[in-house]
Amino acid sequence: PSAASCSERVQPRVFVMEFEAIYRMHAQAVFRYALSLTRRRDLAEDLTSEAFLALHREFASIDTTLLPAWLLTVVRNRARDLWRRRLV
């Protein structure tokens, strides 16, 4: 195999390992914050999932030194969206 094909296989694996490490490090705190905002486990789980999905989509452009603040901001903003939809 060429050097390019080897690096293409390694890079996604490195990304997955880094993402998993970040998830393990911050998931409980993000969930607790979401639960404190919603007081509902199901909504807190949804908000936590949405925050990590957003992180996954934007991972290349995010400064990981801003975590977990970035994740908590996503949770807060998504919770606000939920409250707005329920009030309208």
Side-chain angles (χ1 to χ4, degrees):
S2 71
S5 65
C6 288
S7 67
E8 288 169 5
R9 279 181 287 181
V10 171
Q11 196 166 19
R13 189 176 306 150
V14 170
F15 164 77
V16 168
M17 291 171 61
E18 187 174 356
F19 186 84
E20 286 177 352
I22 289 170
Y23 180 84
R24 282 191 302 274
M25 189 180 312
H26 300 298
Q28 284 187 327
V30 172
F31 174 76
R32 283 193 306 268
Y33 179 64
L35 189 59
S36 75
L37 294 175
T38 63
R39 304 280 189 242
R40 287 184 46 190
R41 185 174 185 81
D42 60 328
L43 292 178
E45 289 171 351
D46 289 346
L47 291 173
T48 300
S49 295
E50 288 180 28
F52 281 97
L53 284 171
L55 176 63
H56 189 271
R57 283 191 299 269
E58 304 295 327
F59 197 76
S61 64
I62 292 175
D63 177 0
T64 56
T65 64
L66 299 176
L67 299 174
W70 188 90
L71 291 162
L72 299 178
T73 300
V74 171
V75 168
R76 186 194 65 220
N77 291 342
R78 300 285 166 88
R80 285 180 180 168
D81 292 343
L82 277 174
W83 297 325
R84 285 185 194 123
R85 277 184 257 147
R86 290 182 180 191
L87 293 175
V88 175

